[in-house]
Amino acid sequence: MNTLLISGPGVTPYEVVIGRGLLADAGAQISPYVGAGRIAVVSDATVADLHGPGVVKALEGAGAAVDLLTVPPGEASKSMPELTHLLDRLLGLGLDRRSTVVALGGGVVGDLAGLAAALFMRGIPVIQAPTTLLAQVDSSVGGKTAIDTAWGKNLIGVFHHPRRVLADLDVLATLPDRQMRAGTAEILKAAILADAGFFDWLEGHVEGVVGRDPAILEHAIGRAVAIKAEIVAEDPTERGRRALLNLGHTFAHALEAEAGFEDDSVLHGEAVALGCVLACRLSERLGRLSTETVRRVERLTALAGLPTEIEALGLFEPDALIARMAGDKKAEGGVPVLILADAIGQAAVVRGVDAADLRAVLQ
């Protein structure tokens, strides 16, 4: 078991626990970190069928009063109607300011349930229990919660740090192979932006990550979370260095928005993987990154079974993607703010990139 501490200015310190059997031991892992009120376990219908009853039984065995609430699976649940419906259900169950939300699921559930907890009676605790690789290494850590709109991804949200994060490696056994590959994208991103040695290690071990080798997987998740923990501790509300964690995401969010957030059309991790490749190609075009380094990123991405060309995700008009990027939440005055790479392990915030250079890498 690996336990990492997340802290920083204005953040109540909390632990990210990485190990096996954490959900089976949910009573001991969660009960000491909640108040005397009810616990609402929020999950999607798929995850609830697999893991919901066991978590509820473990919590009830520890003396908690528990309700299991489900939302439809898929990115479409990160919406204002689903958020409103979830808040209504929490109120209808009689939850109060002593209550706690447990987000049991992938990134969609974590974002939706986390935002609901942040808004409910001006904020109640949330515990993140991520059940996808992507959520375990990225979205469950750091306190970002949000929903999507027709204007783009994650445009409405708040920072609401969890009380605790339980990354149970056992649940990854039920994860589809495509979701394992998608989650690996955030591990690659962490290495590209912050740790050249980790990138070197992944070149020899990424197939073991995707293939769920226990020791390899635990090391990869632990290192990716540690990278994020270090950056979040320095900049909890993304006023500075934390922006680097968005490497590839301006491209990725544009691709997801253009795809219409359709289930199974473009997975977030697939878009992030391609976004990181595109960011590196743009860095090369701007003279910031060597061609050989870009080839290394492309090879590792392909080795993980992730896309390196836009056509792999569908047909997208470059100008439509650029327009989406101009509406990204990081944009300033309608001009995209990009995270680009200067070397493996080094990234930078870059402003003022010409549209012609963006178009060149998007064609």
Side-chain angles (χ1 to χ4, degrees):
M1 187 179 296
N2 187 9
T3 301
L4 299 166
L5 183 69
I6 308 291
S7 62
V11 177
T12 300
Y14 61 93
E15 293 177 337
V16 179
V17 185
I18 303 165
R20 300 189 178 278
L22 299 177
L23 294 187
D25 193 31
Q29 293 292 339
I30 292 176
S31 295
Y33 298 87
V34 303
R38 300 186 69 84
I39 296 175
V41 177
V42 179
S43 190
D44 70 43
T46 301
V47 174
D49 285 345
L50 290 169
H51 306 296
V55 170
V56 169
K57 182 178 179 180
L59 289 171
E60 289 179 338
V66 186
D67 298 287
L68 177 61
L69 307 179
T70 62
V71 299
E75 187 75 22
S77 283
K78 280 180 56 173
S79 66
M80 188 62 74
E82 284 297 335
L83 175 63
T84 301
H85 184 49
L86 178 55
L87 288 168
D88 282 343
R89 292 162 75 190
L90 296 178
L91 289 166
L93 288 168
L95 271 71
D96 57 30
R97 297 183 68 180
R98 302 174 304 158
S99 301
T100 300
V101 169
V102 174
L104 176 67
V108 169
V109 167
D111 270 8
L112 178 67
L115 183 54
L119 296 174
F120 188 83
M121 296 188 178
R122 297 192 179 95
I124 61 173
V126 62
I127 288 177
Q128 294 281 353
T131 59
T132 65
L133 177 59
L134 190 147
Q136 290 186 358
V137 300
D138 185 62
S139 60
S140 66
V141 180
K144 284 186 175 182
T145 70
I147 57 172
D148 306 329
T149 77
W151 296 97
K153 188 177 175 72
N154 295 336
L155 294 182
I156 297 176
V158 300
F159 286 96
H160 188 58
H161 288 271
R163 186 68 58 86
R164 190 170 172 83
V165 179
L166 301 178
D168 189 340
L169 303 181
D170 286 344
V171 303
L172 300 180
T174 63
L175 199 65
D177 290 343
R178 185 183 176 194
Q179 289 283 356
M180 282 296 297
R181 293 192 295 271
T184 303
E186 290 285 358
I187 296 175
L188 303 187
K189 179 206 76 175
I192 294 168
L193 73 91
D195 191 338
F198 185 35
F199 188 93
D200 295 344
W201 182 86
L202 284 168
E203 287 181 309
H205 295 88
V206 73
E207 291 174 306
V209 175
V210 176
R212 306 172 220 238
D213 179 282
I216 291 174
L217 189 58
E218 186 164 357
H219 175 75
I221 293 173
R223 184 60 196 135
V225 172
I227 289 170
K228 185 164 189 178
E230 177 189 344
I231 294 174
V232 168
E234 180 181 326
D235 180 21
T237 57
E238 201 171 296
R239 302 294 181 181
R241 188 176 175 224
R242 182 168 177 170
L244 300 181
L245 293 170
N246 290 310
L247 175 68
H249 281 61
T250 302
F251 291 103
H253 290 171
L255 289 161
E256 290 176 273
E258 274 299 287
F261 305 120
E262 294 291 332
D263 291 351
D264 295 332
S265 173
V266 176
L267 297 182
H268 178 64
E270 293 168 342
V272 167
L274 178 57
C276 288
V277 170
L278 294 173
C280 288
R281 288 175 182 163
L282 181 58
S283 297
E284 177 191 17
R285 182 176 177 84
L286 298 178
R288 306 176 69 99
L289 196 63
S290 71
T291 299
E292 176 52 33
T293 300
V294 177
R295 299 293 91 81
R296 286 183 70 194
V297 172
E298 291 172 340
R299 285 194 295 269
L300 183 56
T301 304
L303 196 59
L306 290 161
T308 60
E309 302 296 336
I310 291 179
E311 291 77 12
L313 298 185
L315 299 176
F316 299 91
E317 290 292 331
D319 286 341
L321 293 174
I322 291 171
R324 291 284 189 182
M325 294 167 74
D328 185 84
K329 65 180 181 296
K330 299 178 293 297
E332 297 174 353
V335 179
V337 175
L338 297 162
I339 312 303
L340 301 182
D342 291 332
I344 299 297
Q346 297 179 31
V349 179
V350 178
R351 295 173 170 81
V353 175
D354 192 273
D357 290 316
L358 285 173
R359 194 173 292 108
V361 301
L362 290 170
Q363 291 177 331

